[in-house]
Each structure stands twice: as structure tokens, then as C-alpha cells.
Amino acid sequence: MEEPTPDTRAVPLRVRDRLDPRPRLVRAAESWPAIAQIVVASAGAFAFAHFVLGHASPVLAGTVAVSSLGLVRDARPRRVAETVAGMLLGILVAELLLWAIGPGWWQLAVTLAVVLFLARVFSPQASFAIAAAIQGLIVLLFPLASTDAAWDRLVDGAIGGIAALLVTALIPRNPRAELLRDARALFAGADAAINAIVQGLRSGDRARADRGLEKARALDPLVRAWQESLDSASAVARISPFLRRRRSELDRYRRVLTATDLAVRNLRVIGRRAAYLLDDGVPRPVSADVLAGLGRGLALVGESLEDIGQESVAREGVRAIAAHLDPAEMLTDATTGENNLLVAMRPLTVDLLTACGVGDDDARAAIPRL
């Protein structure tokens, strides 16, 4: 189906979109695993510090657990541990300065300056420094009369950090759901880009090819989102006894991601060459058919993440295209621009074969020599 022209393109109703509760409900539902982690870690840390260690008000046990886990996408144990370390640094420095110079407004300023400076020395992450400053601020704002009780807060913070790391391993978030959601977004975006370029090649319309190129350039954030969720899932799987069985599946996802990242880069090259070639307004049906076939192969690669049986279907389909991907054979009287466009599709074909599990050497050998 052709895209709507600028004059007929649907205009979203902003008021209706803002009042639609469905995106909010979906966002809340997707946050349930993270919410469960936070609730269990903070409540468990508070209960242990209060009932087992006898601390009267272990506020920092709960706040450290909540802040270190958060609702962020990156749930890697290393990130959680770094955040905990930053908060413990802030508590330690604040307790030392509170003991040395006492409470007060100027003491607060001095403490924040020292905590932020030291945090920046220890870590380049801005979140590390902010986490340290917030915990240091809590210590200064709520000084305790007893020195022994004051140092208990450092213990409370450590308990909160340990609880956060424990729930990361024992109550892991659902990595497969987030991975597949990010992958679907990437493959849907790539499909839209390919379809726009194919439409431009079929009709000789450079504007359509330009839109396809723009869509291909917009895929980088989707690649990074999938990369981030995969890195997070792999890190949690290394420490979680419940996710170890998924390691082979995560390794397959990484292979597909690596190849798809390269395919997206090569798609941008194809988009640029197609847009340049269509300056003359002449349709290129052969190139359109080849790219459409590769697009179907890419879509099957995406489907194979949930149904591994589609991987062999994609592999055979792409291999059939690869066997004939010789510009001299496909276009006997082609111009230099048309040859260059078909040549640009060869690396994309290799990437798709690699995504389907074909080795690098075998993938390159599947394409005729020029």
C-alpha cells in the first residue's frame, strides 16, 4: 500500500491522544516486574535492619534499595552495584563531615561539594554523583543525637544495596519480553524503510526513496535500545539461577542483533544510492524486486526471534536471492548507477545470511564473484 501524500496524511488529534489511557496502562503494566523488585528489596531491607539488627528507623535501608533499582531499562547488576557504591560513598562522607563540623546550612554546602567532587573522582557517571549527593543530603538533614546510631545508617545503606542485588538475581525482570518488544520496534522500522525505498524504485519517485533513507537513518536509537536491553538481560542471566537456561537463546539474539546492526548501516547506503539514481525519475523494477525480497528475508529474521523455525525459511529465501545477485546477469544493459545499487545490496545479503546462522565465509561465498 502506498504512503499517503502530504495533502492526505492523517493528522493526529492531540487532545484525544493525550486523554487515551491505553498507553499509560501499558506503561504501568510493563513496569510491574521492576515494581515488584523495588517493593521486595526495600521492604526486606527495612525489616531486616529494624527487626534483626534493632535499628529504630532504618530509612536509608529502604531509600538505597529503591534508588539503586529504579524503573530504568538498564537492570544490569553492575549498574545497580555502581549506584549502591555511590550512595554508600555519600553516606560515609556525610557522616564523617557531620561528626567533624556538625550540622548547619554551611556545613550542608560543604558536604555536598565534597561528596560531589569525590563522586566525580571515582566515577564518570553523573548518576553516581547524584546518588551520592542525595544520600549525603539525607544524612545532613536528619542528624542523630547518638554517634553510634548515626553510623548505623551506613550499615542500613549497605543492607539496602545487598537487598537490591539479591532481588536482581532472585526476582529478575522478564528480559525476553523487553528484548522482543525492542526487536519488534527495530524490525518494523527497518521494514518501513525498505518498503519506502522499494516504492520509490518501482515508481521512479526520488521523494519516496528519500523518505526511506530518512527512516533508515532513524533506526539507530532502536538498535541502541535493543542492544541495551540485551546487555542487561545477559548480565542478569550470568548471576540469576532462573535465567541461566536462557543463555543460549540470548547468544542467538546477540548474533541476530550484530548482523541486523550491520544490515541497517548497509540499508542507509542503499537508500542513498537509490535516491541519487532516481534523480532521472525512471523506475527500476529489477532493483525494487531484489530489495523487496531482501526485505522479506529481514522480516523473517525478526519473526525467527520468537519462532526459530522461521530462521531456516529466511536463510533459504535470502540464499536464493544471493545466488543470482550479479549485476551483469540481472541487468545486461544497466547504467553505472544501477550496477552500484545492486552491488550495494550484496553486503546487506551477507548480513542477512549471517543473521540466519550462516558463517561469515559461507555467507560471502553464497554470492557470485564480480
Side-chain angles (χ1 to χ4, degrees), residues 122-180:
F122 283 110
S123 174
Q125 301 296 328
S127 58
F128 182 93
I130 297 302
I134 290 174
Q135 299 305 318
L137 189 63
I138 292 175
V139 170
L140 264 293
L141 291 178
F142 302 99
L144 300 177
S146 169
T147 303
D148 293 337
W151 289 106
D152 285 346
R153 292 187 292 199
L154 184 61
V155 177
D156 293 339
I159 292 171
I162 293 172
L165 289 171
L166 283 175
V167 300
T168 299
L170 300 179
I171 312 177
R173 303 177 188 183
N174 186 355
R176 191 171 188 270
E178 186 168 322
L179 281 171
L180 293 178

Side-chain angles (χ1 to χ4, degrees), residues 226-308:
W226 189 16
Q227 176 76 61
E228 184 178 287
S229 59
L230 180 56
D231 288 344
S232 179
S234 299
V236 175
R238 283 194 289 270
I239 67 169
S240 173
F242 306 109
L243 295 181
R244 287 178 182 172
R245 66 183 184 277
R246 292 193 179 274
R247 288 183 180 178
S248 60
E249 184 180 46
L250 294 175
D251 290 340
R252 183 169 69 91
Y253 288 171
R254 189 169 298 280
R255 180 244 296 166
V256 175
L257 169 61
T258 301
T260 304
D261 184 16
L262 295 174
V264 165
R265 300 182 191 187
N266 285 316
L267 180 59
R268 290 197 288 268
V269 175
I270 294 171
R272 284 194 296 270
R273 293 193 178 182
Y276 175 79
L277 181 62
L278 292 175
D279 263 341
D280 57 9
V282 177
R284 265 72 182 195
V286 174
S287 297
D289 290 341
V290 174
L291 184 57
L294 294 176
R296 287 191 291 273
L298 182 60
L300 288 172
V301 169
E303 293 176 13
S304 73
L305 295 175
E306 299 181 68
D307 179 6
I308 196 171

